[in-house]
Amino acid sequence: MLDFSKVDFNKAISLNPTNSQGESNPQNPFENCTYKLVKLGEVVIEIINGSTPLKSVREYWNSNDIHWLTTPDFKENIFIESTSQFVSKKALQDKKVKIVPKESVLLTCTATIGKCAINKIELTTNQQINALICDNSKIINHYLVYILRLSKQTLENSATNPIVKHINLATLKNLKIPLPPLEIQKQIVSECEKVEEQYNTIKMSIEKYQELIKAILVKCGIIANNDEFAGGTSRLIASLLDSRLLDSSVIAF
């Protein structure tokens, strides 16, 4: 059991550290993780890439039969329950789109890199989005979302096209992520869900929300607590932990 009330936040958390010259060092944020790093391709059963039916074929777009997900549909919430656009059953019948099952992990991989969520509805996506079908015997989808969101900079630095950034399938499958036991993953998800609940019910900024999630992952050994940095991040987290905005149950197993 991990007690977050005793976390030492005297050191700042840096996911994108700089070297002695002040230059960015785009290393994997999980490089010094307590747990084994595995390739993403080892913990997913399938990756479904989306597509866009021809706009010139009216029959593909004249009926709101199937949700069709695009990047603007991603919000800060971890779940996607609706989309702004739809395609018809005709598009599916003609194999112009693929159905993504519920509870998949959706990741933007073109132009806008690293937006991530879980779909609570069956849907299809455009080609900017990959849907990851998790191997539930190895990884929890909710946990994977937190990990992929923190991998945003790593993914961007791996993009193959400097003009229109794109993460190809091989690069995505080779992304290294930490894989703690399922029981630890469940504990991490449980704690992060408490932060999400607070974020959704009180006026917590997105920055405070993100730092609390990072704090949980540091305590669990997913992200290393970098001793070389101090200042704003640590003070922010400390102020959050002392704040009456958060119940102590949010940060204690």
Side-chain angles (χ1 to χ4, degrees):
M1 301 291 282
L2 297 171
D3 183 3
F4 283 94
S5 65
K6 296 180 176 63
V7 177
D8 179 8
F9 290 113
N10 290 329
K11 312 297 183 184
I13 300 165
S14 176
L15 295 184
N16 299 295
T18 57
N19 60 23
S20 58
Q21 285 73 45
E23 298 170 335
S24 178
N25 179 10
Q27 67 182 25
N28 188 320
F30 313 115
E31 188 172 312
N32 298 313
C33 175
T34 301
Y35 303 100
K36 177 183 177 182
L37 296 184
V38 301
K39 293 180 179 179
L40 182 60
E42 297 176 31
V43 297
V44 298
I45 298 171
E46 183 182 3
I47 299 178
I48 301 174
N49 183 238
S51 57
T52 300
L54 287 173
K55 295 284 188 176
S56 59
V57 181
R58 184 173 176 273
E59 290 80 4
Y60 294 157
W61 302 95
N62 64 355
S63 180
N64 292 350
D65 297 327
I66 303 168
H67 291 274
W68 186 66
L69 183 74
T70 60
T71 300
D73 291 316
F74 285 81
K75 309 300 179 185
E76 294 303 332
N77 292 336
I78 204 163
F79 297 117
I80 288 177
E81 300 181 285
S82 63
T83 61
S84 58
Q85 299 185 64
F86 299 82
V87 294
S88 68
K89 290 180 180 178
K90 174 68 172 172
L92 181 62
Q93 291 166 356
D94 288 356
K95 299 182 179 180
K96 301 303 179 182
V97 292
K98 295 180 180 178
I99 291 292
V100 175
K102 295 178 183 179
E103 301 294 330
S104 299
V105 174
L106 309 167
L107 178 68
T108 58
C109 290
T110 300
T112 300
I113 305 292
K115 286 185 175 292
C116 195
I118 295 170
N119 57 312
K120 304 301 287 185
I121 53 173
E122 282 192 347
L123 47 71
T124 61
T125 78
N126 73 358
Q127 62 272 20
Q128 291 182 285
I129 300 165
N130 283 327
L132 286 67
I133 316 300
C134 292
D135 182 342
N136 295 326
S137 68
K138 297 179 180 179
I139 196 163
I140 297 171
N141 59 354
H142 207 143
Y143 166 78
L144 181 57
V145 168
Y146 295 125
I147 295 305
L148 290 176
R149 285 183 172 184
L150 289 174
S151 300
K152 175 179 170 64
Q153 191 62 53
T154 302
L155 288 168
E156 286 186 342
N157 291 329
S158 302
T160 55
N161 189 329
I163 299 174
V164 179
K165 291 184 177 181
H166 173 69
I167 304 299
N168 61 40
L169 197 58
T171 299
L172 186 58
K173 286 182 176 180
N174 285 324
L175 177 70
K176 289 189 175 181
I177 63 170
L179 189 67
L182 286 174
E183 189 56 39
I184 298 297
Q185 292 181 42
K186 290 177 183 176
Q187 291 183 39
I188 291 170
V189 169
S190 176
E191 288 305 304
C192 289
E193 283 178 337
K194 293 173 186 176
V195 175
E196 286 175 25
E197 183 179 355
Q198 295 289 325
Y199 173 68
N200 290 327
T201 56
I202 64 175
K203 292 183 180 297
M204 181 193 294
S205 72
I206 183 61
E207 290 80 15
K208 290 181 180 180
Y209 163 79
Q210 290 172 341
E211 295 305 339
L212 278 173
I213 295 296
K214 291 175 190 177
I216 291 170
L217 296 178
V218 166
K219 182 60 179 178
C220 293
I222 300 300
I223 308 172
N225 194 359
N226 196 319
D227 289 345
E228 296 180 5
F229 301 90
T233 303
S234 58
R235 288 194 295 270
L236 171 59
I237 296 173
S239 67
L240 284 170
L241 297 180
D242 291 338
S243 173
R244 293 181 180 274
L245 289 176
L246 293 175
D247 185 91
S248 59
S249 63
V250 174
I251 51 173
F253 282 127

